[in-house]
Amino acid sequence: MSTVTQRGLYFDELEEGVTYRHTPGRTVSEADNTLFSALTMNPQALHVDAAYAATTEFGRPLVNSMWTLSTMVGLSVGHLTQGTLIAQLGLSDIEFPHPLFAGDTLSVSTVVVSKRESKSRPGQGIVVLAHTGVNQDGTVVARATRTALMKMSPA
């Protein structure tokens, strides 16, 4: 009997220009936002003080954008990098064009922007991934470019 182990994709399985849609999405709760803000020691009233947030143009607390970024990357792991990532090398071009609120569902897709074999690490490659997060209405709430060092498939 054979065994199948869930994993991400190896460097050589990733294709430039392909969009990978990660499912399921993640519905954020007020507790997620409060706990994440507390764990990261971020007391920003826009995230944790409903009375204060009610006085802002948003009228309610915003989900901590670092939760959005972390969850956006996290939603891609099982599909792309579980067991095949060596290291995250960097994040860039991070933006949050629309707020996310408790009760919203974050869905994520990733495009492989580029990839190249590592010059100094045989059997490994560098991949640039563009993550996009949308809410349940399809409105873009976050974008980030991620550079990762990935394993190549075993010989």
Side-chain angles (χ1 to χ4, degrees):
M1 188 172 266
S2 63
T3 301
V4 176
T5 302
Q6 180 179 339
R7 65 165 171 84
L9 300 175
Y10 287 107
F11 170 84
D12 36 309
E13 295 174 313
L14 293 164
E15 295 182 48
E16 286 185 19
V18 171
T19 298
Y20 298 87
R21 295 194 192 286
H22 314 299
T23 58
R26 174 70 157 73
T27 301
V28 60
S29 70
E30 185 177 334
D32 293 327
N33 190 38
T34 301
L35 180 60
F36 186 89
S37 294
L39 288 172
T40 58
M41 300 185 69
N42 182 344
Q44 174 54 254
L46 274 172
H47 305 313
V48 300
D49 184 337
Y52 171 79
T55 69
T56 71
E57 65 185 272
F58 305 106
R60 56 189 165 147
L62 302 175
V63 170
N64 187 315
S65 59
M66 294 296 98
W67 182 95
T68 304
L69 176 63
S70 297
T71 304
M72 184 170 64
V73 170
L75 284 168
S76 75
V77 168
H79 196 177
L80 297 180
T81 63
Q82 179 67 43
T84 58
L85 176 80
I86 296 164
Q88 178 165 281
L89 301 177
L91 290 164
S92 63
D93 305 316
I94 299 166
E95 61 183 33
F96 305 100
H98 186 77
L100 194 64
F101 300 101
D104 285 347
T105 298
L106 177 64
S107 296
V108 177
S109 62
T110 302
V111 175
V112 177
V113 175
S114 65
K115 60 184 245 184
R116 68 171 178 83
E117 291 188 26
S118 173
K119 294 174 183 137
S120 61
R121 299 179 68 118
Q124 300 174 10
I126 297 169
V127 181
V128 177
L129 306 165
H131 299 294
T132 301
V134 299
N135 69 12
Q136 64 282 354
D137 300 323
T139 302
V140 175
V141 296
R143 289 187 191 93
T145 300
R146 179 177 175 214
T147 303
L149 184 63
M150 305 284 296
K151 295 177 184 177
M152 290 186 183
S153 55

